[in-house]
């Protein structure tokens, strides 16, 4: 029995999808799929409402987003219950992955927006300095479409929506059809805080609905999801010359150096590979451990992993979508057939839900799918390497480049290795927490995406930075304007020689 199943259409022919819990397979609700006409109508409403929302002072928009924190606290149990029903996550993970960063992001962005989005006076350099003044005006783009996945359905909806709204845009959200009500809670919370309903709307459905949104009257798409879909969105946006932010898949590497704290490294290897059932784009998917400590590290990981429980309400919950189970099983079997050793687990348990047992795989190589393709399951995959240089080489031998981690006591070593890693971010002695650091410009390289979803540039990425160049003196005409004369050329020659012919002056006018 699938987690998402087609139902009989409504009397007027609208498609319906039934939702079941991946932990128990019990029915948890249904949705009607929004048609292309529904999406077009939502976008038209958003287009009409956006100027009024943008006209409000930034401080007023920020106050509304800040008030949403109080709504979150009041609605916390309802939101967590919905997330748990649709994903089967343990309550701890629903709180830690969804609620804590949600409160923090709303609080942070609402505090930063009045400063980061205010008109900016930017100092000019050189010969322009005495002549002109520069003001940057951060104009909202207009209507933003947000398409979000099922692995972090609430937080991954709320974060981009809040940024887009603060920047003065209207928003239409299309959450995953696997977790539609969890995603919709982001809209409900913001409505209750005071965001007008025509400024923020939700449409439901699968890829058909998402395509209608991408191809509709939109000014930007913010997408979190698979590489394949992300590339299609990028192509569609390129055809219309509109921006998109793509936060796609990951195959994040964890490097364990010879001087690592093995207690922390082994605990981290298990947790960071398995929390959220391993369904985290910045979770650890492959581990490279220096050979001199590999035996001890592997034994510690095996012991830690053996203590992890799985099942409904246990440490490791179900895979949130049954389609993902096929991928996890395929990767483990491919590794087994090519010579990997399964130290623990290695099999599914579908008697009641969509579970895969906590698994530790060693003796892996780079010709195995489990070290090249995104697995998204509770798997610890460990490969021995000669030294840190080989670890970096292996970490870079991948189509993905979202994040990575280095376990060592030496901060200078982390920075040195990070500069060699072709990945969006690097964390010392931890991993997935980087997404929760709002100040960090979080984004992927290679097939892991384009654009930023956090940091000041992400917030400003929902605007057009319009430079306005102001005149300082109100002169009747500029010296360069017609009519040209020998004096005009002479003045230019003298300016070039004076400003750029003298090394001391050249440094002063930079």
């Amino acid at each position: 029995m699938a987690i998402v199943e087609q139902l009989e259409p409504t009397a007027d022919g609208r498609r319906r999808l039934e939702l079941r819990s991946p932990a128990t397979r019990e029915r948890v609700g249904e949705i009607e799929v929004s048609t292309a006409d529904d999406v077009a109508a939502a976008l038209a409403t958003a287009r009409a409402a956006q100027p009024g929302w943008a006209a409000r002072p930034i401080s007023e928009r920020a106050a509304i987003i800040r008030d949403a924190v109080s709504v979150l606290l009041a609605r916390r149990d309802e939101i967590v219950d919905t997330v748990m029903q649709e994903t089967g996550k343990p309550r701890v993970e629903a709180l830690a992955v969804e609620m804590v960063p949600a409160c923090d992001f709303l609080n942070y962005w609402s505090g930063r927006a009045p400063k980061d989005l205010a008109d900016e006076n930017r100092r000019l350099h050189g010969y322009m300095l005495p002549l002109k003044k520069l003001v940057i005006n951060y104009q909202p783009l207009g209507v933003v479409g947000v398409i979000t996945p099922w692995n972090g359905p609430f937080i991954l909806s709320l974060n981009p929506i809040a940024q887009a709204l603060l920047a003065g845009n209207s928003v239409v959200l299309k959450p995953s059809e696997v977790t539609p009500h969890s995603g919709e809670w982001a809209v409900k919370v913001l409505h209750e805080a005071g965001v007008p309903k025509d400024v923020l709307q939700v449409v439901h459905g699968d890829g058909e609905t998402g395509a209608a949104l991408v191809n509709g009257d939109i000014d930007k798409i913010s997408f979190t999801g698979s590489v394949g879909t992300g590339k299609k969105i990028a192509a569609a946006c390129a055809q219309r010359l509109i921006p998109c932010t793509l936060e796609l898949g990951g195959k994040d590497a964890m490097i364990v150096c010879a001087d690592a704290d093995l207690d922390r490294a082994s605990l981290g290897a298990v947790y960071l590979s398995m929390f959220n059932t391993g369904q985290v784009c910045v979770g650890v998917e492959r581990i490279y451990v220096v050979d001199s400590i590999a035996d001890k590290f592997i034994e510690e990981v095996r012991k830690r992993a053996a203590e992890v429980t799985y099942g409904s309400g246990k440490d490791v919950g179900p895979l949130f979508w049954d389609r993902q189970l096929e991928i996890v099983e395929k990767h483990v079997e491919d590794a087994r057939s090519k010579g990997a050793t399964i130290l623990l687990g290695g099999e599914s348990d579908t008697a009641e839900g969509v579970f895969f047992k906590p698994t530790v795989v060693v003796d892996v190589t780079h010709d195995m799918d489990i070290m090249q393709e995104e697995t998204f399951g509770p798997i610890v995959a460990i490969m021995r390497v000669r030294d840190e240089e080989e670890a970096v080489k292996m970490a870079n031998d991948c189509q993905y480049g979202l994040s990575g981690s280095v376990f060592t006591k030496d901060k200078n070593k982390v920075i040195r290795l990070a500069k060699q890693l072709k990945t969006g971010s690097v964390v010392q002695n931890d991993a997935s927490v980087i997404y929760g650091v709002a100040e960090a410009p979080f984004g992927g390289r290679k097939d892991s995406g384009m654009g930023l979803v956090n940091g000041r540039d992400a917030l400003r990425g929902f605007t057009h930075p319009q430079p306005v160049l102001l005149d300082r003196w109100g002169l009747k005409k500029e010296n360069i304007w017609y009519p040209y004369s020998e004096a005009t050329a002479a003045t230019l020659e003298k300016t070039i020689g004076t400003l750029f012919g003298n090394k001391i002056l050249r440094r002063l006018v930079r």
Side-chain angles (χ1 to χ4, degrees), residues 350-405:
T350 57
E352 296 182 358
V354 188
F355 295 97
F356 196 89
K357 295 179 180 180
T359 297
V360 178
V361 185
V362 296
D363 302 324
V364 294
T365 56
H366 267 218
D367 65 338
M368 299 175 184
D369 293 344
I370 206 166
M371 296 298 280
Q372 291 292 329
E373 300 177 11
E374 189 173 42
T375 304
F376 241 45
I379 313 294
V380 183
I382 304 173
M383 179 175 176
R384 295 170 182 262
V385 291
R386 180 179 61 257
D387 50 28
E388 293 151 5
E389 284 65 34
E390 186 180 13
V392 170
K393 179 181 178 182
M394 293 294 100
N396 287 335
D397 180 27
C398 184
Q399 65 178 325
Y400 296 101
L402 189 55
S403 191
S405 57

Side-chain angles (χ1 to χ4, degrees), residues 191-255:
H191 283 167
E192 191 169 333
V195 176
K197 291 189 175 181
D198 53 357
V199 169
L200 174 59
Q201 302 166 82
V202 62
V203 292
H204 284 301
D206 47 22
E208 182 180 303
T209 308
L213 183 58
V214 170
N215 294 309
D217 181 21
I218 209 85
D219 297 300
K220 179 175 179 173
I221 289 289
S222 172
F223 172 76
T224 306
S226 70
V227 175
T229 301
K231 288 182 176 181
K232 291 177 182 178
I233 289 173
C237 290
Q239 285 293 319
R240 297 172 51 213
L241 297 179
I242 63 171
C244 60
T245 298
L246 307 174
E247 203 272 89
L248 308 178
K251 193 69 183 174
D252 289 3
M254 169 180 169
I255 296 174

Side-chain angles (χ1 to χ4, degrees), residues 137-212:
N137 167 36
Y138 293 96
Q139 294 184 338
L141 296 175
V143 180
V144 173
V146 176
I147 303 175
T148 54
W150 41 263
N151 60 320
F154 180 67
I155 184 58
L156 296 179
S157 298
L158 187 70
N159 191 28
I161 289 174
Q163 293 179 41
L165 291 173
L166 283 164
N169 303 285
S170 56
V171 178
V172 177
L173 167 71
K174 204 295 283 184
S176 169
E177 69 273 26
V178 181
T179 53
H181 302 111
S182 299
E184 188 175 15
W185 263 114
V187 174
K188 292 179 178 179
V189 164
L190 290 164
H191 283 167
E192 191 169 333
V195 176
K197 291 189 175 181
D198 53 357
V199 169
L200 174 59
Q201 302 166 82
V202 62
V203 292
H204 284 301
D206 47 22
E208 182 180 303
T209 308

Side-chain angles (χ1 to χ4, degrees), residues 479-481 483-493:
N479 291 333
I480 192 67
W481 290 1
Y484 293 154
S485 67
E486 290 184 5
T488 306
T491 299
L492 290 171
E493 294 280 5

Side-chain angles (χ1 to χ4, degrees), residues 319 321-332 354:
L319 294 164
W321 201 6
D322 44 4
R323 292 187 187 179
Q324 195 62 37
L325 181 62
E326 300 171 15
I327 296 173
V328 176
E329 290 176 330
K330 173 181 173 292
H331 285 189
V332 171
V354 188

